[in-house]
Amino acid sequence: MNPRLAALHSAGVSIWLDDLSRERLRSGNLAQLIADDSVTGVTTNPTIFAAAFADLSLYGEQLASLADAPLDEAIRQLMAADVKQACQLFAPVYEATHGYDGRVSIEVEPGLAHDAAATIAQAAQLHALVDEPGVLIKIPATREGLSAIRTTIGAGISVNVTLIFSLQRYREVMDAYLGGLEDALAAGHDLSTIHSVASFFVSRVDTEVDKRLAAIGTPEALALRGLAAVANARAAFAEYEQVFAGERFAALAAHGANRQRPLWASTGTKDPAYPDTLYVADLVADPCVNTMPEKTMLAFADHGEVTGDTIRANIANARATLAALDAVGVSYDDVVQVLEDEGVAKFIASWEELVAAVRAARQ
Protein backbone atom coordinates (compact mmCIF):
# COMPACT_ATOMS: atom_id res chain seq x y z
CA MET A 1 0.00 0.00 0.00
CA ASN A 2 1.45 3.36 -1.00
CA PRO A 3 2.16 5.16 2.31
CA ARG A 4 1.29 8.68 1.09
CA LEU A 5 -2.07 7.64 -0.34
CA ALA A 6 -2.73 5.47 2.71
CA ALA A 7 -2.08 8.51 4.93
CA LEU A 8 -4.51 10.55 2.85
CA HIS A 9 -7.14 7.83 3.22
CA SER A 10 -6.50 7.65 6.97
CA ALA A 11 -7.05 11.42 7.18
CA GLY A 12 -10.64 10.88 6.04
CA VAL A 13 -10.27 11.54 2.32
CA SER A 14 -11.80 8.88 0.09
CA ILE A 15 -9.59 8.51 -2.99
CA TRP A 16 -11.63 7.99 -6.14
CA LEU A 17 -10.05 7.67 -9.58
CA ASP A 18 -11.44 10.09 -12.15
CA ASP A 19 -11.24 7.62 -15.02
CA LEU A 20 -12.66 4.33 -16.25
CA SER A 21 -12.16 2.22 -19.35
CA ARG A 22 -12.60 -1.39 -20.37
CA GLU A 23 -8.82 -1.57 -20.73
CA ARG A 24 -8.38 -0.69 -17.04
CA LEU A 25 -10.88 -3.37 -16.11
CA ARG A 26 -9.52 -6.15 -18.34
CA SER A 27 -5.84 -5.49 -17.68
CA GLY A 28 -6.21 -5.61 -13.91
CA ASN A 29 -5.01 -2.02 -13.59
CA LEU A 30 -8.05 -0.87 -11.60
CA ALA A 31 -7.83 -3.89 -9.31
CA GLN A 32 -4.18 -3.03 -8.66
CA LEU A 33 -5.06 0.58 -7.81
CA ILE A 34 -7.60 -0.69 -5.28
CA ALA A 35 -5.05 -3.04 -3.73
CA ASP A 36 -1.99 -0.78 -3.76
CA ASP A 37 -3.16 2.84 -3.87
CA SER A 38 -6.16 3.06 -1.52
CA VAL A 39 -8.55 3.77 -4.42
CA THR A 40 -12.10 3.25 -3.13
CA GLY A 41 -14.22 4.53 -6.02
CA VAL A 42 -14.37 5.76 -9.60
CA THR A 43 -16.02 8.69 -11.31
CA THR A 44 -16.85 8.94 -15.01
CA ASN A 45 -18.23 11.59 -17.33
CA PRO A 46 -18.78 11.95 -21.09
CA THR A 47 -15.22 13.19 -21.60
CA ILE A 48 -13.79 10.09 -19.93
CA PHE A 49 -15.93 7.73 -21.98
CA ALA A 50 -15.13 9.60 -25.19
CA ALA A 51 -11.45 8.90 -24.48
CA ALA A 52 -12.11 5.28 -23.51
CA PHE A 53 -14.13 4.58 -26.63
CA ALA A 54 -11.30 5.88 -28.83
CA ASP A 55 -10.12 2.24 -28.79
CA LEU A 56 -13.32 0.65 -29.99
CA SER A 57 -11.60 -2.70 -30.52
CA LEU A 58 -12.41 -3.44 -26.87
CA TYR A 59 -16.08 -2.60 -27.42
CA GLY A 60 -16.58 -4.06 -30.89
CA GLU A 61 -18.24 -7.32 -29.89
CA GLN A 62 -20.77 -5.63 -27.65
CA LEU A 63 -21.35 -2.87 -30.19
CA ALA A 64 -22.11 -5.49 -32.85
CA SER A 65 -24.67 -7.08 -30.55
CA LEU A 66 -26.39 -3.69 -30.31
CA ALA A 67 -26.59 -3.16 -34.07
CA ASP A 68 -30.36 -2.73 -34.02
CA ALA A 69 -30.47 -0.41 -31.01
CA PRO A 70 -30.75 3.38 -31.39
CA LEU A 71 -27.33 4.98 -31.20
CA ASP A 72 -27.87 6.74 -27.87
CA GLU A 73 -29.18 3.52 -26.34
CA ALA A 74 -26.15 1.60 -27.61
CA ILE A 75 -23.85 4.15 -25.99
CA ARG A 76 -25.66 3.86 -22.66
CA GLN A 77 -25.36 0.09 -22.84
CA LEU A 78 -21.61 0.33 -23.51
CA MET A 79 -21.09 2.74 -20.60
CA ALA A 80 -23.31 0.77 -18.24
CA ALA A 81 -21.40 -2.44 -18.95
CA ASP A 82 -18.13 -0.85 -17.81
CA VAL A 83 -19.75 0.76 -14.77
CA LYS A 84 -21.42 -2.51 -13.78
CA GLN A 85 -18.13 -4.40 -13.97
CA ALA A 86 -16.38 -1.69 -11.95
CA CYS A 87 -19.13 -1.84 -9.31
CA GLN A 88 -18.59 -5.58 -9.04
CA LEU A 89 -14.85 -5.03 -8.65
CA PHE A 90 -15.50 -2.55 -5.84
CA ALA A 91 -18.11 -4.75 -4.16
CA PRO A 92 -15.84 -5.78 -1.26
CA VAL A 93 -15.13 -2.10 -0.53
CA TYR A 94 -18.84 -1.28 -0.78
CA GLU A 95 -19.75 -4.07 1.62
CA ALA A 96 -16.97 -3.31 4.12
CA THR A 97 -17.96 0.37 4.29
CA HIS A 98 -21.74 -0.21 4.10
CA GLY A 99 -21.97 1.80 0.89
CA TYR A 100 -19.88 4.74 2.07
CA ASP A 101 -17.23 3.88 -0.54
CA GLY A 102 -16.94 1.35 -3.33
CA ARG A 103 -18.86 3.75 -5.56
CA VAL A 104 -18.86 4.13 -9.37
CA SER A 105 -20.58 7.06 -11.08
CA ILE A 106 -22.37 7.21 -14.42
CA GLU A 107 -23.73 10.48 -15.76
CA VAL A 108 -27.02 11.29 -17.44
CA GLU A 109 -26.69 12.59 -20.98
CA PRO A 110 -25.37 16.19 -20.69
CA GLY A 111 -27.83 17.50 -23.24
CA LEU A 112 -30.54 16.91 -20.62
CA ALA A 113 -28.92 19.28 -18.10
CA HIS A 114 -31.74 21.82 -18.42
CA ASP A 115 -34.59 19.28 -18.71
CA ALA A 116 -35.61 18.05 -15.28
CA ALA A 117 -38.22 15.53 -16.43
CA ALA A 118 -35.89 13.88 -18.96
CA THR A 119 -33.07 13.82 -16.39
CA ILE A 120 -35.30 12.07 -13.84
CA ALA A 121 -36.35 9.48 -16.42
CA GLN A 122 -32.80 8.76 -17.58
CA ALA A 123 -31.46 8.61 -14.01
CA ALA A 124 -33.95 5.84 -13.26
CA GLN A 125 -33.06 4.12 -16.54
CA LEU A 126 -29.31 4.17 -15.84
CA HIS A 127 -29.87 2.95 -12.29
CA ALA A 128 -31.84 -0.02 -13.59
CA LEU A 129 -29.39 -0.63 -16.44
CA VAL A 130 -26.32 -0.89 -14.18
CA ASP A 131 -28.33 -2.69 -11.48
CA GLU A 132 -25.59 -2.65 -8.85
CA PRO A 133 -25.90 -1.16 -5.34
CA GLY A 134 -22.61 0.73 -5.72
CA VAL A 135 -23.71 2.87 -8.65
CA LEU A 136 -24.10 6.65 -8.29
CA ILE A 137 -26.11 8.52 -10.89
CA LYS A 138 -24.46 11.82 -11.80
CA ILE A 139 -26.82 14.77 -12.25
CA PRO A 140 -25.49 18.27 -13.06
CA ALA A 141 -26.31 20.97 -10.51
CA THR A 142 -28.02 23.28 -12.96
CA ARG A 143 -31.08 25.17 -11.75
CA GLU A 144 -33.29 22.64 -13.52
CA GLY A 145 -31.21 19.81 -12.12
CA LEU A 146 -32.16 20.63 -8.55
CA SER A 147 -35.66 19.21 -8.82
CA ALA A 148 -34.29 16.17 -10.65
CA ILE A 149 -31.85 15.59 -7.78
CA ARG A 150 -34.63 15.75 -5.20
CA THR A 151 -36.93 13.44 -7.15
CA THR A 152 -34.17 10.91 -7.83
CA ILE A 153 -33.09 10.80 -4.19
CA GLY A 154 -36.75 10.56 -3.21
CA ALA A 155 -37.03 7.43 -5.36
CA GLY A 156 -34.26 5.82 -3.30
CA ILE A 157 -31.51 6.26 -5.92
CA SER A 158 -28.05 7.40 -4.82
CA VAL A 159 -26.76 10.49 -6.62
CA ASN A 160 -23.47 12.18 -7.40
CA VAL A 161 -24.38 15.84 -7.91
CA THR A 162 -21.86 17.25 -10.36
CA LEU A 163 -20.70 20.59 -11.81
CA ILE A 164 -21.05 22.62 -8.61
CA PHE A 165 -19.12 25.89 -8.63
CA SER A 166 -20.98 28.36 -6.41
CA LEU A 167 -21.70 28.41 -2.69
CA GLN A 168 -25.30 29.45 -3.33
CA ARG A 169 -25.88 26.55 -5.71
CA TYR A 170 -24.22 24.21 -3.22
CA ARG A 171 -26.68 25.30 -0.54
CA GLU A 172 -29.49 24.59 -3.01
CA VAL A 173 -28.00 21.15 -3.74
CA MET A 174 -27.92 20.26 -0.05
CA ASP A 175 -31.51 21.46 0.30
CA ALA A 176 -32.51 19.24 -2.64
CA TYR A 177 -30.76 16.27 -1.03
CA LEU A 178 -32.49 16.78 2.31
CA GLY A 179 -35.81 17.28 0.55
CA GLY A 180 -35.23 14.06 -1.36
CA LEU A 181 -34.51 12.19 1.86
CA GLU A 182 -37.72 13.55 3.38
CA ASP A 183 -39.62 12.37 0.30
CA ALA A 184 -37.90 8.97 0.45
CA LEU A 185 -38.81 8.58 4.11
CA ALA A 186 -42.44 9.42 3.37
CA ALA A 187 -42.41 6.84 0.56
CA GLY A 188 -41.10 4.14 2.89
CA HIS A 189 -37.55 3.84 1.56
CA ASP A 190 -34.70 2.75 3.83
CA LEU A 191 -32.67 5.96 4.19
CA SER A 192 -29.53 4.08 5.20
CA THR A 193 -29.23 2.73 1.64
CA ILE A 194 -29.26 6.19 0.02
CA HIS A 195 -25.89 7.89 -0.40
CA SER A 196 -24.82 11.06 -2.15
CA VAL A 197 -21.78 13.19 -2.86
CA ALA A 198 -21.73 16.82 -4.00
CA SER A 199 -19.00 17.37 -6.58
CA PHE A 200 -17.48 20.81 -6.13
CA PHE A 201 -15.19 21.64 -9.06
CA VAL A 202 -11.85 23.12 -8.08
CA SER A 203 -9.13 23.82 -10.66
CA ARG A 204 -11.45 25.47 -13.19
CA VAL A 205 -12.14 28.19 -10.63
CA ASP A 206 -8.47 29.21 -10.56
CA THR A 207 -8.27 29.06 -14.36
CA GLU A 208 -11.14 31.52 -14.76
CA VAL A 209 -10.29 33.77 -11.82
CA ASP A 210 -6.56 33.95 -12.60
CA LYS A 211 -7.40 35.10 -16.14
CA ARG A 212 -9.48 37.93 -14.71
CA LEU A 213 -6.84 38.85 -12.13
CA ALA A 214 -4.19 39.06 -14.85
CA ALA A 215 -6.45 41.36 -16.86
CA ILE A 216 -6.92 43.65 -13.84
CA GLY A 217 -3.15 43.62 -13.38
CA THR A 218 -2.79 45.52 -10.11
CA PRO A 219 -0.37 44.21 -7.45
CA GLU A 220 -3.34 43.47 -5.18
CA ALA A 221 -5.03 41.45 -7.92
CA LEU A 222 -1.92 39.55 -8.98
CA ALA A 223 -1.22 38.57 -5.37
CA LEU A 224 -4.50 36.61 -5.34
CA ARG A 225 -3.64 34.30 -8.24
CA GLY A 226 -3.93 30.61 -7.37
CA LEU A 227 -5.94 31.22 -4.21
CA ALA A 228 -9.56 31.29 -5.38
CA ALA A 229 -10.19 27.59 -6.00
CA VAL A 230 -9.01 26.33 -2.64
CA ALA A 231 -10.75 29.20 -0.85
CA ASN A 232 -14.01 28.41 -2.62
CA ALA A 233 -13.80 24.72 -1.71
CA ARG A 234 -12.93 25.45 1.91
CA ALA A 235 -15.86 27.85 2.19
CA ALA A 236 -18.07 25.12 0.72
CA PHE A 237 -16.90 22.70 3.40
CA ALA A 238 -17.97 25.20 6.05
CA GLU A 239 -21.43 25.30 4.43
CA TYR A 240 -21.52 21.50 4.53
CA GLU A 241 -20.72 21.40 8.24
CA GLN A 242 -23.37 23.97 9.06
CA VAL A 243 -26.14 22.19 7.15
CA PHE A 244 -25.39 18.69 8.38
CA ALA A 245 -25.06 19.80 11.99
CA GLY A 246 -28.57 21.24 11.80
CA GLU A 247 -31.89 19.99 13.14
CA ARG A 248 -33.30 19.15 9.72
CA PHE A 249 -30.61 16.55 9.02
CA ALA A 250 -30.65 15.32 12.63
CA ALA A 251 -34.30 14.35 12.21
CA LEU A 252 -33.40 12.36 9.09
CA ALA A 253 -30.29 10.83 10.68
CA ALA A 254 -32.56 9.39 13.36
CA HIS A 255 -34.04 7.30 10.54
CA GLY A 256 -30.63 6.18 9.25
CA ALA A 257 -29.87 8.96 6.75
CA ASN A 258 -26.32 9.50 5.52
CA ARG A 259 -24.59 12.83 5.08
CA GLN A 260 -23.98 14.07 1.56
CA ARG A 261 -20.20 14.27 1.49
CA PRO A 262 -18.32 17.06 -0.31
CA LEU A 263 -16.35 15.74 -3.28
CA TRP A 264 -13.46 17.71 -4.77
CA ALA A 265 -13.52 17.31 -8.56
CA SER A 266 -11.26 18.68 -11.29
CA THR A 267 -8.28 18.39 -8.93
CA GLY A 268 -5.51 18.18 -11.50
CA THR A 269 -3.64 21.50 -11.63
CA LYS A 270 -3.91 23.21 -15.00
CA ASP A 271 -1.26 25.88 -14.37
CA PRO A 272 2.26 24.36 -14.31
CA ALA A 273 3.33 27.13 -11.93
CA TYR A 274 1.27 25.50 -9.18
CA PRO A 275 2.27 22.34 -7.27
CA ASP A 276 0.80 19.27 -8.94
CA THR A 277 -0.66 18.12 -5.61
CA LEU A 278 -2.14 21.53 -4.67
CA TYR A 279 -5.82 20.56 -4.87
CA VAL A 280 -5.25 17.41 -2.84
CA ALA A 281 -2.89 18.55 -0.07
CA ASP A 282 -4.82 21.79 0.59
CA LEU A 283 -8.23 20.07 0.74
CA VAL A 284 -7.83 17.44 3.43
CA ALA A 285 -10.62 16.92 5.94
CA ASP A 286 -12.71 14.11 7.33
CA PRO A 287 -15.07 13.41 5.61
CA CYS A 288 -14.62 14.25 1.96
CA VAL A 289 -13.83 12.64 -1.38
CA ASN A 290 -11.10 13.65 -3.81
CA THR A 291 -11.61 12.27 -7.31
CA MET A 292 -8.27 12.52 -9.06
CA PRO A 293 -6.96 12.04 -12.58
CA GLU A 294 -4.40 9.26 -12.47
CA LYS A 295 -1.56 11.74 -13.09
CA THR A 296 -2.52 13.68 -9.95
CA MET A 297 -2.94 10.53 -7.89
CA LEU A 298 0.49 9.24 -8.92
CA ALA A 299 2.04 12.64 -8.16
CA PHE A 300 0.61 12.54 -4.64
CA ALA A 301 1.77 8.94 -4.25
CA ASP A 302 5.28 10.11 -5.16
CA HIS A 303 5.65 13.33 -3.17
CA GLY A 304 2.35 14.42 -1.63
CA GLU A 305 2.30 15.35 2.04
CA VAL A 306 -0.54 14.93 4.52
CA THR A 307 -0.16 17.53 7.25
CA GLY A 308 -3.49 16.98 8.97
CA ASP A 309 -6.77 18.80 8.37
CA THR A 310 -6.00 21.64 5.94
CA ILE A 311 -9.59 22.87 5.62
CA ARG A 312 -11.14 23.58 9.01
CA ALA A 313 -8.26 25.71 10.32
CA ASN A 314 -8.37 27.85 7.18
CA ILE A 315 -12.08 28.68 6.85
CA ALA A 316 -11.64 32.29 7.97
CA ASN A 317 -8.76 32.81 5.54
CA ALA A 318 -10.86 31.30 2.76
CA ARG A 319 -13.67 33.76 3.35
CA ALA A 320 -11.18 36.62 3.49
CA THR A 321 -9.75 35.54 0.12
CA LEU A 322 -13.19 35.51 -1.49
CA ALA A 323 -13.83 39.00 -0.07
CA ALA A 324 -10.48 40.22 -1.41
CA LEU A 325 -11.33 38.93 -4.88
CA ASP A 326 -14.53 40.93 -4.80
CA ALA A 327 -12.63 44.00 -3.61
CA VAL A 328 -10.25 43.95 -6.58
CA GLY A 329 -13.13 43.62 -9.05
CA VAL A 330 -13.62 39.90 -9.68
CA SER A 331 -17.36 39.14 -9.76
CA TYR A 332 -17.89 35.85 -7.97
CA ASP A 333 -21.42 35.45 -9.32
CA ASP A 334 -20.27 35.98 -12.89
CA VAL A 335 -17.32 33.59 -12.52
CA VAL A 336 -19.42 30.69 -11.23
CA GLN A 337 -22.16 31.21 -13.84
CA VAL A 338 -19.60 31.22 -16.66
CA LEU A 339 -18.05 28.03 -15.27
CA GLU A 340 -21.40 26.26 -14.96
CA ASP A 341 -22.36 27.18 -18.52
CA GLU A 342 -18.94 26.14 -19.85
CA GLY A 343 -19.03 22.89 -17.86
CA VAL A 344 -22.31 21.82 -19.43
CA ALA A 345 -21.11 22.89 -22.89
CA LYS A 346 -17.85 20.92 -22.56
CA PHE A 347 -19.67 17.76 -21.56
CA ILE A 348 -22.12 18.18 -24.45
CA ALA A 349 -19.17 18.55 -26.83
CA SER A 350 -17.59 15.37 -25.42
CA TRP A 351 -20.89 13.54 -25.78
CA GLU A 352 -21.10 14.60 -29.42
CA GLU A 353 -17.55 13.30 -29.98
CA LEU A 354 -18.58 10.05 -28.36
CA VAL A 355 -21.65 9.74 -30.56
CA ALA A 356 -19.61 10.45 -33.67
CA ALA A 357 -17.00 7.83 -32.74
CA VAL A 358 -19.58 5.12 -32.07
CA ARG A 359 -21.48 6.00 -35.25
CA ALA A 360 -18.28 5.69 -37.27
CA ALA A 361 -17.47 2.34 -35.63
CA ARG A 362 -20.93 1.03 -36.51
CA GLN A 363 -20.44 2.03 -40.11
Side-chain angles (χ1 to χ4, degrees):
M1 189 72 72
N2 179 276
R4 296 178 187 274
L5 293 173
L8 186 63
H9 178 80
S10 296
V13 179
S14 293
I15 301 167
W16 293 4
L17 178 68
D18 193 28
D19 191 49
L20 181 64
S21 67
R22 200 157 292 187
E23 173 61 26
R24 282 194 188 277
L25 291 163
R26 290 189 178 178
S27 68
N29 169 264
L30 184 56
Q32 183 177 6
L33 293 175
I34 296 170
D36 297 344
D37 293 318
S38 303
V39 172
T40 59
V42 158
T43 51
T44 68
N45 58 47
T47 302
I48 286 169
F49 276 120
F53 289 1
D55 182 5
L56 281 163
S57 63
L58 292 168
Y59 298 88
E61 184 177 347
Q62 186 185 5
L63 186 59
S65 73
L66 296 166
D68 295 330
L71 190 61
D72 58 346
E73 175 61 22
I75 292 170
R76 283 193 289 274
Q77 291 279 355
L78 293 172
M79 294 190 301
D82 283 2
V83 170
K84 185 179 185 70
Q85 188 176 346
C87 284
Q88 292 169 347
L89 189 60
F90 279 106
V93 177
Y94 176 91
E95 292 163 6
T97 62
H98 305 288
Y100 183 82
D101 276 324
R103 292 288 180 171
V104 185
S105 296
I106 184 170
E107 186 160 349
V108 297
E109 187 179 335
L112 307 179
H114 299 295
D115 186 335
T119 295
I120 292 164
Q122 192 170 107
Q125 179 188 22
L126 290 173
H127 184 258
L129 197 58
V130 176
D131 193 26
E132 293 289 340
V135 69
L136 287 173
I137 307 301
K138 289 181 79 172
I139 299 176
T142 58
R143 191 168 301 283
E144 298 84 355
L146 295 170
S147 61
I149 292 159
R150 175 168 184 160
T151 299
T152 303
I153 291 291
I157 297 173
S158 297
V159 172
N160 176 344
V161 183
T162 188
L163 285 178
I164 307 173
F165 296 97
S166 81
L167 298 174
Q168 176 60 35
R169 184 54 53 81
Y170 182 37
R171 287 188 284 268
E172 293 168 348
V173 165
M174 290 186 285
D175 179 71
Y177 175 63
L178 295 178
L181 289 178
E182 289 160 351
D183 296 344
L185 180 61
H189 291 291
D190 179 357
L191 298 192
S192 69
T193 66
I194 303 172
H195 288 259
S196 184
V197 292
S199 296
F200 218 88
F201 277 53
V202 183
S203 66
R204 296 186 193 183
V205 175
D206 271 343
T207 300
E208 180 64 25
V209 170
D210 284 2
K211 179 176 65 177
R212 298 182 184 214
L213 292 170
I216 294 168
T218 64
E220 294 81 6
L222 297 177
L224 293 168
R225 287 179 297 183
L227 301 180
V230 168
N232 198 39
R234 286 170 171 172
F237 192 87
E239 298 284 345
Y240 155 79
E241 291 210 303
Q242 180 178 354
V243 168
F244 287 97
E247 293 181 1
R248 187 180 180 191
F249 177 71
L252 292 162
H255 294 278
N258 300 290
R259 294 184 173 208
Q260 182 188 53
R261 284 182 291 167
L263 179 152
W264 314 128
S266 184
T267 55
T269 50
K270 294 178 170 58
D271 188 330
Y274 301 151
D276 54 3
T277 61
L278 173 65
Y279 304 127
V280 182
D282 283 10
L283 293 174
V284 175
D286 184 5
C288 62
V289 180
N290 195 306
T291 180
M292 308 177 205
E294 186 174 33
K295 180 179 178 182
T296 301
M297 189 186 71
L298 293 177
F300 199 90
D302 179 67
H303 52 267
E305 295 292 338
V306 177
T307 58
D309 188 323
T310 54
I311 294 181
R312 288 182 174 91
N314 292 293
I315 297 298
N317 288 339
R319 289 173 172 151
T321 296
L322 295 179
L325 288 165
D326 180 69
V328 299
V330 174
S331 169
Y332 180 86
D333 290 342
D334 187 64
V335 165
V336 295
Q337 188 60 57
V338 165
L339 289 172
E340 180 181 305
D341 293 342
E342 286 183 352
V344 172
K346 287 176 181 178
F347 279 169
I348 289 174
S350 294
W351 180 265
E352 290 172 348
E353 290 175 16
L354 178 58
V355 169
V358 175
R359 181 183 291 113
R362 268 187 163 181
Q363 294 169 347

